[in-house]
Amino acid sequence: MLDIKNLNVSVEDKLILKNLNLSLGKGQVHAIMGPNGSGKSTIAHTLAGKPNYDVNSGEVSFNGEDLLSKDPYERSLDGLFLAFQYPIELPGVTNASYLKQIVNAHRKSKNETPIDAGEFLKILKEKSKQLDIPMDMHSRFVNTGFSGGEKKKNEVLQMDLLDPSLIIMDETDSGLDVDALKSTAEAINKLRNSDRTFLIITHYLRLLEYIEPDFVHVFQNGSVIETGDKSLASKIDQEGYN
Amino acid sequence: MNKVNKDNFKQDSYKYGFVTDIENEKIQKGLNEEVIKLISMKKNEPQWMLDWRLAAFERLQNMSVPKWAKAEIEEIDFQDLYYYSSPKDFKEKPKSLDEVDPKLLETYEKLGIPLTEQKVLAGVAVDAVFDSVSVATTFKEKLNEIGVIFCPISEAIQKHPELVKKYIGSVIPVTDHFYATLNSAVFSDGSFVYIPKGVKCPMELSTYFRINASETGQFERTLIIADEDSYVSYLEGCTAPMRDENQLHAANVELVALDNAEIKYSTVQNWYPGDENGKGGIYNFVTKRGLCKGKNSKISWTQIETGSAITWKYPSCILRGDNSTGEFYSVAITNNHQQADTGTKMIHLGKNTKSKIISKGISAGKSSNTYRGLVSFHRKAENAKNFTQCDSLLVGSECKANTIPLTENNSNSSSIEHEATTSKISDEQLFYCMQRGLNAEEAQSLIVNGFCKEVLQKLPMEFAVEAQKLVSISLEGSVG
Ligand SMILES: Nc1ncnc2c1ncn2[C@@H]1O[C@H](COP(=O)(O)OP(=O)(O)OP(=O)(O)O)[C@@H](O)[C@H]1O
Ligand SMILES: [Mg+2]
């Protein structure tokens, strides 16, 4: 469902992704591991369409369509979700109204009517409970003053609300305590199904022990240098990248 | 988005730019005693009112146009303006809506202000001012039953001369400054409100100002008096057709709150701002001042300023009564070539007086947006307190924002707290929202509405949603 071919991307004239090839099938879970600065977030941002990421050459097709020519919001409405490594603060915008608005943007694109306030609250309560998110967090401003872990949980909550078909998680596990990691992984596992594809960027084996990947890719210097099954993650955990 | 699309978009965005095709009757152009006498005659005014106008006109001879504000303005030829325009055959205000020209009713309907009995907004009484005259006032009888007077000021001058005489010019002296004096000489219409002792006005009172005729100035005059222990919430809205010329709107608004009274005054100002090249638009030079005359009285100004080519406006509070409170909540949005210079003056005279200022300035395009404020503590203003917060949000890199907060402190037991921030909508924020499915305009509007929410929440509920939409519309075409 996602095909990356010979992708070269530079940021501020610096070539970061070099001839990257990666293919994700429907319903599969792929993990990407790799040292700091190897270009993992860059691939996530490029797929989501962040401005100032220059695609020098290469192609990406998403469900058979050219991904790179679309605006970021169109990619989102097409089902691509990126859980940010560093979620952005939106001061003044309450989390509840933000969440409702993004849900409605997706409903609108499917020609559905805006969600009923009562129904939304019910869903929000249910999904927040699963992630141990207190409801009063939703009356605060989006990510503003949230702890590192709260921000990550809020990303998973949005992922859950928007029902995406391709989920890219950029170090969603970093910053979560042991219990939070467990509840988050459970929530993610519930989202796993035969139609939904995952690309999980992580530094730690721990998350992959909860969410078992079908493939593990090792990233170095802007491209994939090795691909294996989940045993590759254990190997890296013990031996490192050298 | 390509250029062509963007232009279309912008043109659609001022949806109140139509002209009502109605024959009007004007007094000849020019500013002189003759014209003033004619205005007074048209309005059937008593001699004392005419004398008052003429005295103001005499004072005007020695005054000149103020230059205090940071604005680029084309010189106004005051002799080349019409000072009075009304729909033709409008000798007397229609007694009932059946007598109102259907074209006028249709105009207000199009503006979202239905005046006919079946359609009026529940809980909101409206006075509709079209150019220089009030064409209809709703719920008047119902308000009369509880002693609330809500009528055009021209009517109040005839029917309640003792109240008008006592209070007109008592808050804004006739000689205050050029535009205030000009208004005193030539004012046309506006609203008059009197809330009797102990009455909490059960509905929102509102005036809707519409400039329709070309080359015509609108000189609104509004006077609101809240007697002891009373409460009123009042809202004004303003629109005008799209024209290439600059038109002048110079209003005087005076509020008086007696012991324990509270006046909440809200404005949604959406005069035509000019086109994206800065051609046309209203010059909005307004003097608004409230006097907290009685003890424990309170006056609160809330304004959403999105329109006009140039806005100069400083709704102020004179806190004379002990323990009185003044508040100013403002959102000023400028786009394209608009210029706004707005803020407030809080003059603390009485003991334990408090004031609060929350100003949110949003500038986009090539516009300029200035907050100008004064907090002044008189020697006798023991334990007076002020809190001021001025936040500016920049959209794009060609706009300007200034904050000029002045203070004068002659009371050693008083305190002023001041906070100011300037921020930009970051690309990171826009990208984050867009990743979640919002397009660029929606993402920007979400962030901007968040930025000014604290002020929007102060509006009467009936208008808050409209104001939110207006905030988004005013910025259309400004995302890159
Ligand atoms: N805006 C930028 N300007 C210059 N260099 C950049 C910019 N953004 C990213 N880079 C560089 O691109 C390289 C890849 O960064 P990226 O964030 O993709 O790494 P990563 O693999 O996600 O690292 P980490 O594990 O630390 O999150 C780094 O060398 C980084 O400094
Ligand atoms: Mg990274």
Side-chain angles (χ1 to χ4, degrees):
Chain A
M1 60 115 58
L2 184 80
D3 269 303
I4 304 175
K5 283 200 193 112
N6 300 320
L7 190 64
N8 286 279
V9 172
S10 50
V11 185
E12 314 231 327
D13 291 331
K14 186 178 157 200
L15 187 65
I16 313 276
L17 297 186
K18 297 162 191 164
N19 246 334
L20 177 71
N21 287 288
L22 200 60
S23 199
L24 316 186
K26 205 170 167 180
Q28 295 176 345
V29 177
H30 292 245
I32 290 182
M33 303 182 83
N36 296 131
S38 57
K40 302 182 300 296
S41 292
T42 303
I43 179 67
H45 287 145
T46 305
L47 294 174
K50 191 169 178 181
N52 303 324
Y53 282 62
D54 299 322
V55 177
N56 306 336
S57 62
E59 280 166 36
V60 179
S61 85
F62 177 43
N63 289 330
E65 291 181 40
D66 177 22
L67 181 75
L68 300 176
S69 66
K70 295 195 178 186
D71 274 346
Y73 80 93
E74 295 171 317
R75 302 181 196 199
S76 167
L77 297 176
D78 284 349
L80 184 151
F81 184 95
L82 167 63
F84 282 56
Q85 182 174 4
Y86 304 109
I88 307 296
E89 301 187 350
L90 304 176
V93 182
T94 45
N95 207 44
S97 69
Y98 162 79
L99 294 173
K100 193 163 156 215
Q101 197 162 336
I102 63 175
V103 165
N104 280 333
H106 282 254
R107 288 174 70 104
K108 192 175 154 203
S109 79
K110 292 182 216 149
N111 287 323
E112 291 169 7
T113 53
I115 191 163
D116 167 80
E119 191 191 337
F120 177 71
L121 189 66
K122 195 176 132 234
I123 295 173
L124 188 61
K125 271 189 184 152
E126 187 187 293
K127 298 202 186 291
S128 299
K129 190 167 173 226
Q130 198 183 359
L131 289 162
D132 283 323
I133 295 175
M135 284 306 281
D136 58 16
M137 199 172 95
H138 300 310
S139 44
R140 294 167 64 188
F141 299 147
V142 180
N143 295 329
T144 309
F146 286 16
S147 74
E150 285 166 346
K151 285 183 182 173
K152 295 301 177 68
K153 285 184 187 179
N154 203 35
E155 293 293 286
V156 177
L157 177 65
Q158 291 173 63
M159 173 195 303
D160 198 355
L161 286 168
L162 296 184
D163 192 28
S165 59
L166 173 63
I167 292 173
I168 304 165
M169 284 190 271
D170 193 356
E171 298 199 25
T172 301
D173 52 339
S174 304
L176 290 177
D177 66 42
V178 213
D179 298 329
L181 181 72
K182 191 160 174 246
S183 58
T184 306
E186 275 165 12
I188 293 166
N189 271 331
K190 275 201 187 146
L191 289 174
R192 238 178 125 155
N193 66 32
S194 56
D195 287 330
R196 195 170 271 136
T197 307
F198 287 81
L199 185 60
I200 300 174
I201 298 169
T202 181
H203 287 295
Y204 307 108
L205 179 64
R206 232 175 15 167
L207 179 72
L208 302 178
E209 280 171 342
Y210 287 114
I211 308 167
E212 291 196 17
D214 301 308
F215 299 93
V216 175
H217 309 279
V218 179
F219 230 68
Q220 196 132 38
N221 202 11
S223 54
V224 174
I225 54 159
E226 193 180 350
T227 294
D229 61 11
K230 75 174 210 278
S231 64
L232 182 57
S234 316
K235 190 179 135 215
I236 290 167
D237 191 52
Q238 279 160 21
E239 299 169 17
Y241 294 109
N242 308 317
Chain B
M1 205 183 294
N2 67 40
K3 186 80 180 84
V4 180
N5 267 338
K6 210 170 185 171
D7 286 350
N8 289 341
F9 206 20
K10 190 60 212 168
Q11 301 224 319
D12 289 348
S13 67
Y14 192 74
K15 62 177 176 179
Y16 308 109
F18 64 90
V19 179
T20 305
D21 180 19
I22 193 163
E23 266 194 89
N24 53 41
E25 205 175 304
K26 289 174 172 168
I27 291 178
Q28 77 253 20
K29 271 188 185 173
L31 181 60
N32 51 53
E33 274 196 23
E34 204 52 38
V35 165
I36 293 168
K37 282 179 184 163
L38 276 169
I39 294 174
S40 186
M41 201 172 76
K42 288 259 181 214
K43 303 218 168 254
N44 258 328
E45 286 180 351
Q47 186 65 35
W48 64 266
M49 195 72 251
L50 175 61
D51 293 344
W52 195 81
R53 288 175 181 272
L54 290 173
F57 181 65
E58 202 180 316
R59 297 299 294 259
L60 191 68
Q61 305 313 309
N62 306 320
M63 300 171 84
S64 50
V65 176
K67 303 255 185 255
W68 74 84
K70 260 184 169 316
E72 290 164 32
I73 171 171
E74 275 189 44
E75 195 137 339
I76 302 169
D77 181 353
F78 290 95
Q79 297 303 340
D80 195 32
L81 281 182
Y82 290 107
Y83 288 84
Y84 183 91
S85 165
S86 76
K88 205 171 172 158
D89 300 327
F90 198 89
K91 299 247 160 36
E92 222 175 288
K93 190 176 166 176
K95 298 262 176 325
S96 79
L97 283 166
D98 304 338
E99 297 170 24
V100 178
D101 188 328
K103 271 188 186 160
L104 288 173
L105 295 179
E106 203 183 301
T107 299
Y108 284 93
E109 180 113 26
K110 249 167 121 175
L111 295 169
I113 320 285
L115 299 173
T116 47
E117 297 291 341
Q118 310 82 21
K119 294 180 184 162
V120 285
L121 292 167
V124 184
V126 180
D127 183 21
V129 177
F130 191 84
D131 291 331
S132 309
V133 293
S134 164
V135 295
T137 313
T138 62
F139 289 112
K140 232 167 95 179
E141 281 72 36
K142 201 173 162 202
L143 290 167
N144 259 334
E145 284 167 21
I146 48 165
V148 170
I149 305 172
F150 178 45
C151 67
I153 195 152
S154 51
E155 189 180 320
I157 291 166
Q158 296 177 35
K159 294 194 181 155
H160 310 283
E162 67 299 336
L163 283 171
V164 178
K165 241 184 198 168
K166 183 168 177 190
Y167 290 107
I168 195 168
S170 73
V171 188
I172 304 172
V174 171
T175 53
D176 202 70
H177 65 94
F178 182 86
Y179 289 106
T181 309
L182 175 65
N183 176 288
S184 303
V186 302
F187 74 87
S188 35
D189 227 333
S191 297
F192 176 83
V193 175
Y194 173 77
I195 313 290
K197 274 183 198 169
V199 171
K200 311 264 174 265
C201 188
M203 42 171 66
E204 297 286 335
L205 304 185
S206 76
T207 306
Y208 197 88
F209 293 95
R210 174 75 177 165
I211 297 179
N212 189 62
S214 62
E215 297 176 87
T216 302
Q218 194 183 50
F219 301 91
E220 150 208 359
R221 184 108 203 173
T222 288
L223 178 58
I224 299 177
I225 302 144
D227 214 325
E228 292 168 21
D229 302 297
S230 69
Y231 168 84
V232 64
S233 169
Y234 174 94
L235 179 128
E236 61 166 352
C238 336
T239 60
M242 289 154 87
R243 292 187 198 282
D244 285 349
E245 72 200 33
N246 293 112
Q247 283 183 281
L248 180 62
H249 171 86
N252 278 13
V253 174
E254 296 177 281
L255 315 182
V256 181
L258 302 183
D259 288 358
N260 307 310
E262 178 176 352
I263 302 175
K264 187 172 151 52
Y265 189 107
S266 314
T267 305
V268 177
Q269 187 266 106
N270 186 22
W271 294 119
Y272 176 55
D275 69 9
E276 61 272 29
N277 301 312
K279 188 138 186 65
I282 301 290
Y283 286 165
N284 187 35
F285 302 156
V286 172
T287 309
K288 290 187 169 166
R289 202 170 296 162
L291 173 63
C292 282
K293 196 169 181 182
K295 59 177 196 304
N296 304 316
S297 56
K298 180 174 176 184
I299 289 180
S300 159
W301 298 100
T302 302
Q303 59 172 24
I304 312 299
E305 300 284 321
T306 66
S308 297
I310 302 178
T311 296
W312 293 351
K313 185 181 170 197
Y314 317 91
S316 302
C317 296
I318 301 167
L319 303 169
R320 181 177 298 155
D322 290 344
N323 306 312
S324 61
T325 306
E327 292 176 340
F328 175 73
Y329 299 100
S330 170
V331 169
I333 302 179
T334 54
N335 196 359
N336 296 314
H337 292 264
Q338 283 175 276
Q339 306 170 56
D341 193 299
T342 183
T344 184
K345 286 184 196 169
M346 292 291 175
I347 313 294
H348 293 252
L349 304 176
K351 290 184 194 121
N352 304 316
T353 46
K354 288 195 288 289
S355 64
K356 184 174 177 187
I357 300 171
I358 308 281
S359 161
K360 307 275 180 178
I362 299 154
S363 5
K366 296 190 166 86
S367 68
S368 115
N369 200 326
T370 299
Y371 169 82
R372 187 187 300 274
L374 171 68
V375 176
S376 169
F377 293 132
H378 190 260
R379 190 171 43 84
K380 290 181 181 154
E382 286 165 32
N383 295 315
K385 283 191 178 59
N386 164 265
F387 173 77
T388 300
Q389 186 180 330
C390 297
D391 298 323
S392 307
L393 185 69
L394 305 174
V395 181
S397 53
E398 288 180 277
C399 50
K400 282 183 243 143
N402 297 292
T403 302
I404 308 172
L406 300 176
T407 51
E408 292 169 359
N409 193 349
N410 298 308
S411 151
N412 42 26
S413 55
S414 300
S415 75
I416 296 183
E417 219 181 301
H418 182 92
E419 290 172 10
T421 64
T422 300
S423 51
K424 263 189 100 137
I425 296 186
S426 72
D427 292 345
E428 302 273 343
Q429 288 174 324
L430 289 174
F431 174 62
Y432 186 71
C433 297
M434 285 160 74
Q435 207 303 301
R436 303 295 137 92
L438 306 183
N439 66 33
E441 303 268 353
E442 290 166 338
Q444 179 175 289
S445 135
L446 177 81
I447 295 166
V448 170
N449 268 301
F451 173 76
C452 46
K453 183 157 67 228
E454 204 180 340
V455 173
L456 294 178
Q457 279 172 343
K458 297 287 171 186
L459 284 177
M461 208 172 62
E462 291 88 341
F463 301 96
V465 176
E466 271 307 304
Q468 260 186 40
K469 282 189 206 148
L470 186 59
V471 166
S472 314
I473 289 170
S474 308
L475 289 168
E476 268 179 8
S478 64
V479 263

